[in-house]
Every structure is written in C-alpha cells, then in structure tokens.
Amino acid sequence: VSLVAGVRETAIVAAVAVLAVLAAGLWTDRDLESWEYWVPIVVVVPGSAAAVLGTLVRRRLRGSARDLQAAERRLEAILHNLDEAVVVNDASGRFVYANPAAARLVRMDSPEAVVSQAPGAVMDLFEVMLEDGTPVDLDDLPSRRILHGLPAEPTLVLNRVLATGEERWLLQRATAVLDDDGELALVVSVVEDFTQAKRAERAQRLLADAATLLAAAERPEAMVEGIEQIVVPRLADGCAITLGEAGETTASAPDGPGRRLVVPVVAGGRRLGTMRLTAQAPRAFDGDGAALAEELGRRLGAALHAARLTAERAEIAHTLQAGLLPAALPRVPRWQAASLYRPVGEANEVGGDFYDAFPTPGGWTIVVGDVAGKGPRAASLTGLTRHTLRTATRLTGRLVHAYAELNRALLGEPSLSLCTVGGVRLADAWARIVSAGHPLPVLVRGGVATPVGSTGPLLGAYADMTWPEVSVDLEAGDVLVLYTDGVLDAVGDGGERFGEERLLAALAAAEPSAAGAVRAVGEALDAFAATGQRDDTAVIAVAWEGVLEIREELPPTQTAPAAARRAVRGCIDGAVPRELLDRALVLTSELVTNAVRHGGGAGPVDLRARVGTTALRVEVRDSGDGFVPGPVTPGPEGGWGLALVEEAADRWGVEPGAGTSVWFEMDLVDDPGRRG
Amino acid sequence: MGTADEEFTVDARRDGDRAHVVVSGELDIATVPRLAQAMRENDDVGAVVLDLRALRFLDTSGLRAVIDEDRRATADGRRLQIVRGPAAVQRVFALAGVEDRLPFVAEES
C-alpha cells in the first residue's frame, strides 16, 4: 500500500514540478527554448518542490537527476491515466492545468475545456454539501483556503451534479506551490472519487440496521414495518411491502419524474411478497441501489421464513403440551381443585411433566407424573402415560392396577422409558395414596404440612413390581398437594435447591384452600429462584370441604313440597349441573308430595339431603304407618311420582322404621366410563 | 320462608270465544287447585290457550292437572292448545312420556 501511495504522490509531485515550469513560461510570456525546459526540471523541481512538500518530497525525490528525467517522461502518461482528478490554479484562481480525470469529474469533454473556464464557473455546476446535507461554503474547500493562504485539511464532500441529480462523494486535497520568493505561485488540487466506497459503506450500514431489526422483530408485521422505515429515506422516498401475493417479477421502470423499483421478497426460491420502492431522484436506483433493494428483499424473506418456521414449531409444541394436561380440572362436589404448570424453556420445547384429574368409581382420582426426557419423544411417552393411567384407573378403580398396566406398557417401549407417578384416589373424607418413585403428596391440616403415603418403585424399570397403598381419613378443610420434583429441584439465586423443607413451610403458611396452596408454592418458588428454574414444575392441590348435609322438619301441608325444594336447592345449587338440579328438585317434590298425601298428616315431614363426592341423596320420612311400594306404573289413582323417581334417579328405595322413609340418589360426578 | 303460593300466579283473559290462561311460578300440589279453578271459569269458550312459558317448576301434581284439563277439553269439545314451557318443565312431560299426547304448540296460534 505504501509503495503504491508513494508512486502516486511522486507522480503528483513530479506533475507539480512540470507545471511549475509551464507556469514559468507563462509568466515570462515567451516561448521557451527546449533547453530551458530542462533547467527547471533539474534545478527548480528538486528545489521548490522539496521546499514546499518538505520531508515527503525529500524522501521521494532523493534519486538522481536521471531518475527525475525518467519520471518526467512518464509524467504526462501518468497524469493522463490517473484516476484522481488533478487541477492546477494560479494565484488568481485561474485554471492552468487539468487532467482527463478532472474533465470527467466536472462533466466536460476535455482538459482544455476545463482550463478555459472562468474562475468559479466550474463550481456553479454543482451543489456541495457535507455528509449530513448542510451546504458547504466554497471558500472552505481546500483549494480556496490555499489560495487565501490558509492551511487546508483533506475534505470529504457530497457533490451533486445540478444537471442530473447525480451524487458523488469527493475527497479534495490541495497543496500550495511557492515561487523562489516564497510567494504562492500555484495551487495543486487532487480530487478523489469516494462514491463507491461511501455507497458501499451506506449499503453495509443499511443492511446491518436491517439485520438488527429483523433479529429483534418477532411478528411478520413488525419486520415489514421496520424494513419500510429503514428504506425510507435512506434508499428510496417511498416503500411499500406486501406479503403473500405472487405475480410481478423484479422490474424497475421509469414512472413519472421519479423512479420505481419492484423487487421480490423471497426465501428459498419461494416468493413471499413484494417490495415496491419509489424515488424522486432520476438515477436513485442506479448502480448498487437496485442490488441493495434486492438484498433487503432476500433478507426480509429469510427472516419471514424463519419466523414462520418458529411459529409452526411453537404451535406443534403447544398442541403436544396441551395433550399432557386436562383442558380443565373437573368440578367435583365438595372438593376444590387448583393446579400450576410451568414448563421449562422456550415455547417449542415440550416438557415431560403432566397431571390429570378424572372421575373413578366411587370418587375421583388425581395423578401427577414426570416422564424422563424432553422433546417430542418425551411428549409422546407422556401422552401414553397419562392416558394409560386414566383409562386403567377408570376401568379397574384402583391406581395400583393402573400402575402395573403402565409399567408393562413402558417396559414394552423400544428404549428405556422411565416415569414417576404420584396418585391419589379421593372419595368422601377419604384419600388413598400410591406413589411410584414420586415425591409423596403433602397433607396440609390445621397449618401443619406433612408428607403422606409410602413410596414404591418408579415405572418402566423392572417387571412385576407392587406399590403400597396408604389410606388417609380426611377432615373438612384438609388440603392434599401433589407436585413434581421440579419444585424441590428449583435452584435459588445462591445455587441451593428449594427442597422439601421450604415446600412444607410454604404450604403450612398457605391459606387453607386448593388455590391458596398452589399460590403459596408458586410464590415461594418465584421468591426463591428469581433467575432460573431448571425443570418442569407441576403442582395440583385438592381440598376436601366435607359432606354437606341438611335436615329439615316440614309441616305436613301442601306448602311442604315447595319448602323442601327450596331447601334442596340451597344445598346443591352451583355444585351440580343445572339439568341435574332440575331433576333433583322434581324428585324431591314428588317424595314430599307423597308424604303429605299419604303420611297421615299427624307429624312433620322429615327431609334430609346429603351431598358428597359422588352423589346427592334425598330422604323423606313421614309419620304414616308404613308404605309398601306398589307398582310404579302410573294409573288414574297415582303412581306418577314414583314412576318419575324410577326414571330420573340413579337409585331409590324405601326404608322401614317409624313412619315411611323413601330416598333417592343421583350421581354427581359425570363418569361416562361407568354409565354407558 | 316463602311458599309456592306466593310465587304462583294464574291470569285468564277472554277474547271473544277464546280464552288465554297464563301461569307463572311453580305448579305443584299447593298450586294446582288455582289452575283448575281458572280453567273451569273458562269452560264456556270454544278455545283455550294454556301458556306455560312463565312456569318455572312443575312436578307430577302439575302434570296430572295439565292432563286433566286436556281430558276435560276433549270431553267438552273445547279446543285446547298448550304453549310449551321452559326446559325444566318440558322435561317432566318428557319423562312421563306424555309430551307427544298433549296439544303442545311453540307459540299460541
């Protein structure tokens, strides 16, 4: 590089020297003899040039006179072929020399045409600005400063050709040539065209900004909007991007006074949309402009394509994940349930944690499990696990049978497939706990949290395993919490694990409800591991509200049925589906009506209603001498009421004793596995 | 404690040879006599519309009352139309298997 620069500067200095000689001829206003050319070349050049250009000149021109002669011979050719424009003005500002590059720069046919211009006339053809668009005072340009005896630094300006609107980036340098008396004789100006370099720099900056924007944007709309804002006004005056249409191919065509450019938004050979650019300047998209627009189209296309793939993956993962959890926890009378599920990581990873809750014979069952692994295979295994547990527990009514079935299924998988499950079967005031390698459920009672149950082997490891079942009697207000080890393994900001002790403390302090327990665990985890949870976390809590019972003694009058209906409605309204409530009210009305009509009217009608996990039971006792259930086929004399009870209740019966007692039961937990 | 009596209403309106009987509230053993009375007061017209749309509850006492009115109308040669009640009411007719036997209409015609 330094060698090339050296040669160039040497050439320029040599040119200065020759021009000095030519100038000497002009000053003396006579034709020089041929020998007189040689004198200044040999004598003046080393002297004046060295004096002016100092060490540079001394270094460059240290060679012999013969070298200088050789340089002189090459001078004209070099100046002619120089890419930089070189012009020389005298002390009055008149042009005395221009090379062909200079003529090209100012859009003139020949160097002679330049030289013939009046001082200042050339600059009238241009508008000169700084990079930020502010106009430049021509007196600040290096050549003018030298003329005025001021020091001059190389200056980069944006030069617009007024005739065409074309813009160039020009670096101007100027050097003074002094005569023997030290007076300014000539100003040598060298102008380099930096347009290509500046355009490349602007293009790179624009592409870099586009890349930053596309990386930050998540939605396609944000990408399109961002690109439009980057393009205007840096590349075009107007930009409109439309997505999703085919058609127009790349084209640029004149459109009114300005220009129009249409480029495709493409990815992998597929056209995703179209970018339309407009510009006022007639040559706006010349050169690199169109290529830059096309590159933007490709980059936008690639980003849109990647965003689409990510969205599709997230959608697939979301669908898989949704299959691991029940759409909603079932509503079970006299129980509350709440859950928390926090899968790890990005939207398109699928966790192996699951929980489920479903009706089973005599009650309902909740399970929580953790399938080893991550990703699609874990998700598929988790689906298998969840549905095997659900189906087998519903059919057999026993978690241990379901575990055995699942254990067989996992052992039948082609590769080692391990899974831990914690399950609890729930009925009125009763829970039966079975753990397969899973953290034991926590029973929270009266502000004390205790793990309950006994751990058996995890599933998928060994054949012919058995699992201990542990029954726990529940009191109203008890909360049972099942969770996955993501809770215990959560890593705190100090590096330690959350652990069972913190969990039990959080649960003991929690509001005594299912929602309260889940909220307490979530909040304790948030407070403990603010920076990062490492494993999936699933928590499910249930709270037993106790059996709901009412007992009322109603006067044996015709208003008793309405009063009984009101009492039963107050007991179960909101706890059971509307249709079931309607049926229960009709059946209650029938039993009480019968008691009023046939009960002898001597004593009160005794109404009892009871709502438990699985059923509503209504019992009506009158003071009559006993009722013998006859045919329940309605006839003119009655039987309609019991016919309806037979039709609409799941069970009914007559209890002997003091007076007559008739009862019916309706199942509350919707259990299609048992009906059918 | 309120009773069904307080909530049950029956309104009869005469329109020439036609009577409209509108019941609302709960129809059970306590309230069927009032329905029966209102219907008997309109035995002298050629057509009766019994509107159950505002009825909230009906048990087999009410069911028997409605069937009784249908029988009497047929015997007397009166035209009876019954405007269907809400689902809870219609379900009782359906459970008793008489929904197809009674002259139900969606709207009075």
Side-chain angles (χ1 to χ4, degrees):
Chain A
V1 172
S2 65
L3 184 66
V4 172
V7 167
R8 199 174 63 190
E9 291 190 12
T10 304
I12 291 167
V13 169
V16 169
V18 169
L19 289 161
V21 174
L22 294 170
L26 288 170
W27 293 329
T28 53
D29 202 24
R30 67 174 177 86
D31 290 328
L32 295 178
E33 297 297 334
S34 66
W35 63 268
E36 292 186 86
Y37 281 101
W38 291 102
V39 174
I41 289 170
V42 177
V43 179
V44 178
V45 168
S48 64
V52 172
L53 299 172
T55 54
L56 179 68
V57 173
R58 277 200 296 280
R59 204 167 62 236
R60 299 297 179 212
L61 302 184
R62 201 173 288 145
S64 65
R66 214 167 54 224
D67 292 335
L68 288 171
Q69 291 164 17
E72 187 274 334
R73 282 196 297 275
R74 290 196 296 269
L75 193 59
E76 195 60 23
I78 290 171
L79 279 174
H80 255 87
N81 294 316
L82 214 54
D83 282 339
E84 288 83 359
V86 178
V87 294
V88 179
N89 301 81
D90 63 18
S92 70
R94 279 194 302 137
F95 286 106
V96 294
Y97 175 80
N99 72 348
R104 287 196 297 275
L105 187 71
V106 298
R107 301 287 184 261
M108 291 187 180
D109 295 337
S110 65
E112 292 72 28
V114 179
V115 172
S116 68
Q117 294 292 317
V122 169
M123 293 315 288
D124 289 344
L125 303 171
F126 307 103
E127 188 181 356
V128 183
M129 295 162 286
L130 292 178
E131 184 158 18
D132 61 8
T134 55
V136 171
D137 185 346
L138 293 181
D139 283 339
D140 286 340
L141 291 177
S143 54
R144 299 283 182 97
R145 287 178 66 86
I146 296 289
L147 266 178
H148 299 144
L150 298 167
E153 291 295 313
T155 303
L156 182 67
V157 295
L158 179 59
N159 177 295
R160 178 180 294 147
V161 182
L162 290 175
T164 62
E166 187 191 359
E167 290 182 350
R168 295 94 48 91
W169 288 94
L170 304 177
L171 180 68
Q172 194 187 76
R173 280 182 283 228
T175 309
V177 178
L178 305 180
D179 62 17
D180 287 345
D181 301 328
E183 293 295 316
L184 179 69
L186 298 171
V187 180
V188 179
S189 304
V190 181
V191 181
E192 268 184 86
D193 190 337
F194 268 80
T195 307
Q196 286 300 324
K198 285 301 285 187
R199 272 193 186 152
E201 182 200 321
R202 291 223 292 192
Q204 286 310 312
R205 206 180 297 161
L206 195 137
L207 288 176
D209 288 351
T212 306
L213 179 136
L214 291 174
E218 286 173 3
R219 294 174 305 109
E221 302 79 45
M223 295 178 179
V224 165
E225 229 169 80
I227 292 295
E228 286 173 348
Q229 282 167 8
I230 280 184
V231 165
V232 180
R234 289 157 67 175
L235 182 61
D237 297 320
C239 174
I241 299 170
T242 50
L243 295 182
E245 108 232 39
E248 276 183 279
T249 49
T250 306
S252 77
D255 186 14
R259 291 283 307 273
R260 184 163 168 265
L261 179 67
V262 178
V263 297
V265 176
V266 287
R270 260 183 67 208
R271 188 191 184 99
L272 303 180
T274 302
M275 176 157 61
R276 291 184 179 79
L277 305 177
T278 54
Q280 292 302 312
R283 312 184 66 165
F285 303 125
D286 282 1
D288 297 339
L292 185 56
E294 281 176 23
E295 180 62 25
L296 278 175
R298 279 191 292 273
R299 293 196 180 193
L300 175 60
L304 288 170
H305 186 60
R308 197 171 291 179
L309 285 181
T310 305
E312 279 169 11
R313 275 203 302 273
E315 172 67 24
I316 290 166
H318 182 77
T319 306
L320 281 173
Q321 193 86 63
L324 309 186
L325 305 176
L329 294 175
R331 285 185 57 184
V332 181
R334 312 311 298 157
W335 292 88
Q336 304 165 359
S339 63
L340 168 80
Y341 189 77
R342 290 182 181 173
V344 169
E346 298 301 315
N348 50 28
E349 287 181 35
V350 181
D353 276 20
F354 69 94
Y355 63 82
D356 203 359
F358 43 88
T360 43
W364 63 309
T365 296
I366 56 175
V367 292
V368 160
D370 185 354
V371 172
K374 196 93 181 133
R377 182 175 148 70
S380 144
L381 267 181
T382 307
L384 166 82
T385 297
R386 182 182 160 218
H387 289 104
T388 302
L389 285 173
R390 177 181 269 254
T391 307
T393 310
R394 287 182 88 137
L395 288 176
T396 66
R398 295 280 300 277
L399 274 168
V400 286
H401 295 334
Y403 286 13
E405 187 59 39
L406 177 57
N407 197 39
R408 274 193 293 276
L410 291 175
L411 285 168
E413 285 288 305
S415 62
L416 183 63
S417 305
L418 300 177
C419 152
T420 70
V421 179
V424 182
R425 200 149 58 85
L426 301 161
D428 286 353
W430 176 86
R432 179 166 285 187
I433 296 148
V434 192
S435 165
H438 201 83
L440 292 175
V442 177
L443 173 65
V444 188
R445 174 181 292 170
V448 180
T450 325
V452 288
S454 174
T455 307
L458 86 166
L459 307 177
Y462 307 102
D464 301 324
M465 292 288 111
T466 56
W467 295 268
E469 286 181 289
V470 175
S471 289
V472 175
D473 289 329
L474 297 181
E475 299 171 3
D478 281 357
V479 180
L480 264 174
V481 182
L482 277 76
Y483 59 95
T484 55
D485 57 10
V487 173
L488 303 183
D489 293 347
V491 178
D493 299 336
E496 75 279 35
R497 303 275 176 177
F498 188 70
E500 191 181 52
E501 213 170 295
R502 284 187 181 85
L503 173 66
L504 295 180
L507 287 173
E511 178 199 314
S513 67
V518 165
R519 191 165 53 239
V521 175
E523 286 173 359
L525 283 173
D526 287 342
F528 177 75
T531 50
Q533 150 211 354
R534 296 287 169 80
D535 201 358
D536 291 350
T537 301
V539 181
I540 180 168
V542 292
W544 167 238
E545 294 176 325
V547 167
L548 181 61
E549 285 178 294
I550 58 160
R551 180 175 179 183
E552 284 198 22
E553 289 196 344
L554 307 168
T557 65
Q558 296 200 328
T559 60
R565 293 198 301 271
R566 246 182 293 283
V568 170
R569 179 193 287 275
C571 180
I572 64 173
D573 200 6
V576 299
R578 176 65 198 268
E579 187 273 337
L580 198 145
L581 172 66
D582 286 344
R583 274 194 293 142
L585 293 181
V586 172
L587 301 197
T588 301
S589 198
E590 301 302 337
L591 296 194
V592 176
T593 300
N594 280 346
V596 170
R597 289 166 105 182
H598 309 298
V605 175
D606 183 21
L607 169 76
R608 293 172 201 231
R610 178 189 190 276
V611 180
T613 303
T614 55
L616 161 73
R617 181 186 169 98
V618 174
E619 186 173 349
V620 176
R621 182 178 291 272
D622 62 47
S623 55
D625 342 339
F627 164 82
V628 181
V632 291
T633 312
E637 295 311 310
W640 290 91
L642 284 181
L644 208 65
V645 172
E646 168 76 19
E647 185 70 28
D650 289 292
R651 289 166 297 283
W652 74 281
V654 179
E655 302 290 331
T660 303
S661 171
V662 186
W663 59 267
F664 72 87
E665 286 185 1
M666 296 176 71
D667 291 331
L668 298 180
V669 180
D670 182 35
D671 186 358
R674 191 149 52 108
R675 291 204 178 149
Chain B
M1 179 185 290
T3 66
D5 273 329
E6 291 164 0
E7 295 179 19
F8 182 80
T9 63
V10 51
D11 293 313
R13 178 166 53 84
R14 291 289 278 268
D15 180 12
D17 193 35
R18 202 178 171 97
H20 297 261
V21 179
V22 180
V23 290
S24 71
E26 304 190 342
L27 188 57
D28 67 358
I29 188 175
T31 52
V32 286
R34 290 172 56 192
L35 171 65
Q37 185 193 343
M39 294 298 280
R40 274 170 177 73
E41 284 169 5
N42 291 286
D43 276 353
D44 55 337
V45 297
V48 176
V49 175
L50 176 58
D51 187 342
L52 304 184
R53 282 178 295 181
L55 200 59
R56 288 212 320 273
F57 177 85
L58 171 125
D59 62 8
T60 55
S61 298
L63 175 76
R64 285 170 62 102
V66 172
I67 291 171
D68 194 40
E69 292 305 326
D70 180 45
R71 283 184 183 163
R72 287 197 321 108
T74 305
D76 298 351
R78 250 190 331 276
R79 184 178 180 223
L80 175 69
Q81 288 183 310
I82 307 172
V83 181
R84 282 194 182 82
V89 167
Q90 290 306 117
R91 194 174 296 118
V92 176
F93 289 109
L95 281 168
V98 297
E99 204 175 22
D100 297 340
R101 304 272 188 89
L102 292 169
F104 281 113
V105 293
E107 296 287 332
E108 144 184 5
S109 59

